[in-house]
Amino acid sequence: VGQYRGYLYTSTDTGATWTQRDPTGGAPLEDIDWTFVTSSDDGTRLAAGLDDGKVYTSTDSGVTWTERDPASGNRAWVSGASSSDGTRLVIAAEDDYVYTSTDGGETWARRDPTGSPAQWTGVASSSDGSILVAAAGLTGLFLSTDSGETWENVEPETTGSDGWMAVACSSDGSMIIAGLDGGSIYI
């Protein structure tokens, strides 16, 4: 999603009509820059992150929201992904760490794929949440096959100084696609 100032909107009819949602409960619009939204397969469980803010979760398709504080303070959240049932979440913050939750965002574990804070740009999850992929700008691509407990650098050999900008994976986690800032795509 990029950064967008304002409200979130949900639709239950494939986009024919939309309902405005305010997860923050009335924060000034100039303080609201949404950087990611992720959803369970059925659309009931949602998670959304703010640039320089918190993460918000919903279990009723966005009607009500709960503020979450994965990192004990505001962060520049850049990316998030969800398991198909919405209970397993992975999120990443710029110049920080990766965080995972196995209970829909009620509790969080800080993950350290690189050994120190990194410039995270994207995360992806298999449908069961066991396989996670995280892209860290110029640092590399990282894979976990145990829901974020351990990580390995799986970066392909690249040329130049282009940084990783986006990552996605198939529902079973066997296929990964990653994009470099310079335009190259790796599968």
Side-chain angles (χ1 to χ4, degrees):
V1 164
Q3 292 182 359
Y4 292 97
R5 188 155 288 169
Y7 301 107
L8 294 180
Y9 294 83
T10 60
S11 175
T12 58
D13 55 12
T14 61
T17 60
W18 293 87
T19 302
Q20 179 179 292
R21 306 295 187 187
D22 183 10
T24 66
L29 288 182
E30 62 269 12
D31 295 338
I32 301 174
D33 285 325
W34 296 107
T35 55
F36 79 84
V37 177
T38 189
S39 173
S40 59
D41 281 356
D42 65 4
T44 58
R45 297 182 78 100
L46 307 173
L50 287 172
D51 181 40
D52 191 29
K54 303 283 193 282
V55 172
Y56 295 82
T57 61
S58 174
T59 58
D60 56 12
S61 301
V63 175
T64 61
W65 295 84
T66 301
E67 181 181 272
R68 306 295 186 184
D69 193 8
S72 299
N74 290 354
R75 296 290 188 274
W77 300 107
V78 295
S79 185
S82 171
S83 60
S84 61
D85 67 2
T87 60
R88 292 180 175 269
L89 301 170
V90 58
I91 59 176
E94 185 177 66
D95 295 323
D96 198 70
Y97 298 95
V98 172
Y99 296 82
T100 61
S101 174
T102 59
D103 55 16
E106 289 184 36
T107 60
W108 295 89
R110 186 181 93 176
R111 306 301 186 184
D112 192 3
T114 64
S116 62
Q119 186 69 34
W120 299 106
T121 56
V123 293
S125 174
S126 62
S127 63
D128 67 359
S130 65
I131 297 175
L132 305 176
V133 185
L138 297 173
T139 307
L141 286 176
F142 296 85
L143 174 71
S144 173
T145 58
D146 55 13
S147 301
E149 292 287 329
T150 60
W151 296 82
E152 68 174 305
N153 189 330
V154 294
E155 180 174 30
E157 190 173 312
T158 61
T159 59
S161 61
D162 300 327
W164 296 105
M165 294 304 297
V167 66
C169 71
S170 60
S171 64
D172 67 357
S174 65
M175 295 289 293
I176 297 170
I177 185 169
L180 286 171
D181 188 23
S184 298
I185 300 289
Y186 288 79
I187 299 174

